[in-house]
Amino acid sequence: MYALYFMLVTIICCVMMSTTVANEMKTHIPFYKQMCKSIQAGEMCEKLVGYSAVYKVCFGMACFFFLFFLFTIKINSSKSCRAYIHNGFWLIKLILLAAMCSGAFFIPDQDTFLNAWRYVGATGGFLFIAIQLILLVEFTHKWNKNWTAGAKHKQMWNGLLALVTLMLYSIAVAALVLMALFYTHSEGCMYNKVLIGVHGGLCLFVSLVAISPCVQNRQPHSGLLQSGVISCYVMYLTFSALSSKPPETILDENNRNITICVPEFSQDLHRDENLVTGLGTTILFGCILYSCLTSTTRASSEALRGIYGTPESEVARCCFCCMPEGDADAEEHVEKRGGQSVIYDEKKGTVYSYAYFHFVFFLASLYVMMTVTHWFHYESAQIEKFFTGTWSIFWIKMASCWVCVCLYLWTLIAPLCCPTREFSV
C-alpha cells in the first residue's frame, strides 16, 4: 500500500508538470476558471501546476514517510503496537498523506521555502542514488560468491560463470561501439568522444584490477563477473548521460544548421510529445518503484550496514537473490490483520526493517521531486521534455557513473589498504 501511495503522488506530480494535461483540463472541464478561483489556486489554477507545486506535494509525501521513519525506529517484532499501525489503518494514512500534501501549499514565505527545499531535495536525491550504487556493487559480489561456492561441488557453475561473464562483456563492448558510432561526429562531439574513451578505459582498468594477483590473494571470490556487471552498468549510465546532454549543432556545406551527437531516430522520437510523455513517465515509475522495493529488503539493509553471509553458508542457485528452500520453513506463520497478510519470521527481527523501508521511500520522494523538475533546470521543466537534454541531468549521471566505479574499486583495494581490518563482501 505504501508503494501505491507513492505511485499515486508521483502520478500527480507528473500531471502537474504536464502542459498537455493542463491545456486539456482548461478546454474540457466546464467552469474551470470559476473552480480555480473558488479554491484560491489562481485565475487558471497556476498555483497547482509547475515545479513549485511539485515541490510542495513532494514535501508533503517526504514528511509523511519521514514521520513514519521516526515512528518505526527500533521495532523488533511485527506483533508490537507500532507494527500494527505500520501494517494497517490505510484509510487514515491516506487522509494523513493528502493533508500533508495539501498543507504544503499554505506554507508562508514560499520563495524561501522553495529555495531551501531545493537543496534538501538535491541532497536526498543524491543519497538515494548512492544507496542504489552501493547495493549494485553488493549485488555483484553476492552473485559471484554464490556461484563460485557452487563451482566447488559442480563444474556446471564454472560454465555458467564463464558464459554469463562473456555475455556481460559482449554487451558492454557492443554498447561502447554503438555509442561511438551514433553519439560522435567527425566535426564535433568532443565531450562524447572523451567520455566514451574514458569510460571504456575505466571498464578495462577495473577488470584488470579484479583479476590482479594482489587482489586475488586477499579476495579469492573477486573475478570478472563483478567487473562485467559494473562495466555494463557504466555503459548504461554513459548512454543515458549522452542521451540527456543537449545536442550540438553545426553548419553543413549548404550553411544549414544540423544537429549532431544524437542518433537521427531519436530526433524523430522527440517530435512526438505524447509518446515521449508516456514513455518517460512509465520509465520513471518503473525504475524508481523497482529501486525502492529492492532497497527495502532485510538483505539490503544488512548490506548497507556491512553484514554479509559467510561463504560457507552459501548455497549456489540460479535465483540467488531468493531465500533457499530450507529457510522457508523456519519459524514463520501468516496472520491476516487490518486487511494485510503479515509474515512472522523474526529470528533476526522483523522480516524487513520498517524504519529503513520508510527512509528509502523518503529519499525516493526527494528523488522524484528532483527528477520530474529536471534537477537544477526546474524553471523550464515539463514532463513532455523528459527526454530533452539538460546539463544538470548529464553531469548527475556522469557523477553516478564515476561513484559506481570508485565504490567497486574500493571494495577491491580496501583489504590491501587496511590489511589489519576484516572485510567481507
Side-chain angles (χ1 to χ4, degrees):
M1 286 298 295
Y2 290 110
L4 291 178
Y5 291 165
F6 180 82
M7 288 182 62
L8 176 63
V9 177
T10 304
I11 291 172
I12 293 172
C13 290
C14 292
V15 170
M16 287 178 165
M17 291 302 297
S18 174
T19 55
T20 304
V21 173
N23 292 332
E24 289 294 322
M25 290 173 64
K26 293 175 186 177
T27 305
H28 294 94
I29 296 180
F31 309 109
Y32 181 79
K33 185 181 293 187
Q34 292 84 340
M35 183 182 66
C36 291
K37 289 181 179 179
S38 64
I39 61 175
Q40 298 180 354
E43 186 175 348
M44 299 301 290
C45 287
E46 58 268 16
K47 293 183 180 179
L48 299 180
V49 296
Y51 79 92
S52 62
V54 172
Y55 275 26
K56 296 165 191 173
V57 170
C58 287
F59 173 78
M61 179 167 64
C63 289
F64 173 81
F65 284 114
F66 190 75
L67 177 67
F68 275 93
F69 160 69
L70 297 176
F71 180 75
T72 54
I73 289 176
K74 294 294 184 180
I75 292 182
N76 297 316
S77 171
S78 54
K79 297 180 180 179
S80 68
C81 178
R82 289 187 295 157
Y84 286 146
I85 295 175
H86 166 82
N87 290 314
F89 302 97
W90 299 114
L91 180 59
I92 296 175
K93 289 175 184 173
L94 181 60
I95 296 172
L96 177 63
L97 176 61
M100 286 184 165
C101 292
S102 303
F105 286 87
F106 300 96
I107 295 175
D109 196 359
Q110 293 281 325
D111 292 337
T112 303
F113 162 73
L114 293 175
N115 289 329
W117 185 239
R118 183 174 305 119
Y119 291 103
V120 174
T123 303
F126 288 136
L127 187 54
F128 181 77
I129 293 172
I131 288 177
Q132 305 311 310
L133 296 177
I134 292 171
L135 293 179
L136 173 69
V137 173
E138 186 269 339
F139 165 83
T140 62
H141 285 292
K142 182 178 180 181
W143 186 0
N144 189 75
K145 185 170 65 173
N146 184 270
W147 282 18
T148 303
K152 296 178 182 178
H153 308 287
K154 289 185 179 180
Q155 290 299 315
M156 174 191 73
W157 295 105
N158 275 327
L160 281 175
L161 273 171
L163 177 62
V164 173
T165 302
L166 180 62
M167 290 174 60
L168 290 171
Y169 276 101
S170 299
I171 292 171
V173 171
L176 189 68
V177 172
L178 289 174
M179 284 188 289
L181 289 174
F182 291 108
Y183 285 92
T184 60
H185 193 274
S186 58
E187 299 181 19
C189 309
M190 185 55 62
Y191 269 122
N192 296 13
K193 294 174 183 176
V194 171
L195 289 172
I196 290 172
V198 168
H199 291 178
L202 285 175
C203 293
L204 178 61
F205 177 69
V206 296
S207 301
L208 295 176
V209 171
I211 59 175
S212 62
C214 54
V215 171
Q216 288 289 315
N217 289 336
R218 293 284 298 180
Q219 296 194 67
H221 293 288
S222 175
L224 290 176
L225 180 65
Q226 298 104 306
S227 55
V229 174
I230 297 299
S231 297
C232 283
Y233 191 67
V234 166
M235 290 298 107
Y236 160 72
L237 284 179
T238 305
F239 161 75
S240 183
L242 295 181
S243 301
S244 302
K245 188 171 73 69
E248 299 178 25
T249 58
I250 60 172
L251 293 175
D252 62 5
E253 59 274 7
N254 298 320
N255 289 326
R256 294 179 303 178
N257 282 325
I258 59 171
T259 302
I260 59 173
C261 307
V262 291
E264 291 185 5
F265 58 82
S266 71
Q267 298 180 42
D268 297 331
L269 174 66
H270 285 288
R271 294 190 188 103
D272 191 340
E273 289 191 350
N274 292 330
L275 177 61
V276 171
T277 303
L279 184 61
T281 307
T282 302
I283 292 173
L284 180 68
F285 286 161
C287 292
I288 294 177
L289 191 59
Y290 175 79
S291 298
C292 289
L293 295 179
T294 55
S295 301
T296 51
T297 61
R298 177 193 287 171
S300 297
S301 63
E302 289 179 346
L304 289 172
R305 289 179 285 153
I307 302 173
Y308 303 94
T310 58
E312 293 79 10
S313 65
E314 286 290 331
V315 179
R317 52 197 183 276
C318 289
C319 190
F320 62 92
C321 294
C322 298
M323 184 185 297
E325 292 182 4
D327 293 349
D329 302 325
E331 291 187 22
E332 73 174 40
H333 66 276
V334 179
E335 179 177 324
K336 289 191 176 181
R337 185 182 297 270
Q340 183 182 17
S341 297
V342 181
I343 300 175
Y344 299 112
D345 176 17
E346 300 179 347
K347 291 187 295 181
K348 299 181 181 179
T350 51
V351 176
Y352 61 94
S353 171
Y354 295 163
Y356 174 66
F357 174 89
H358 289 293
F359 185 69
V360 169
F361 271 95
F362 162 71
L363 296 179
S365 303
L366 302 179
Y367 179 76
V368 165
M369 180 183 80
M370 299 306 294
T371 303
V372 171
T373 58
H374 288 194
W375 290 83
F376 299 107
H377 287 76
Y378 48 88
E379 292 181 346
S380 59
Q382 296 176 12
I383 200 67
E384 288 84 359
K385 298 180 179 179
F386 190 79
F387 287 152
T388 302
T390 61
W391 284 110
S392 59
I393 296 177
F394 169 78
W395 286 116
I396 286 166
K397 291 179 178 178
M398 284 292 96
S400 301
C401 181
W402 300 330
V403 170
C404 180
V405 172
C406 291
L407 285 172
Y408 176 61
L409 275 177
W410 174 246
T411 64
L412 297 179
I413 65 175
L416 303 176
C417 299
C418 308
T420 59
R421 186 176 175 182
E422 193 68 29
F423 290 89
S424 176
V425 289

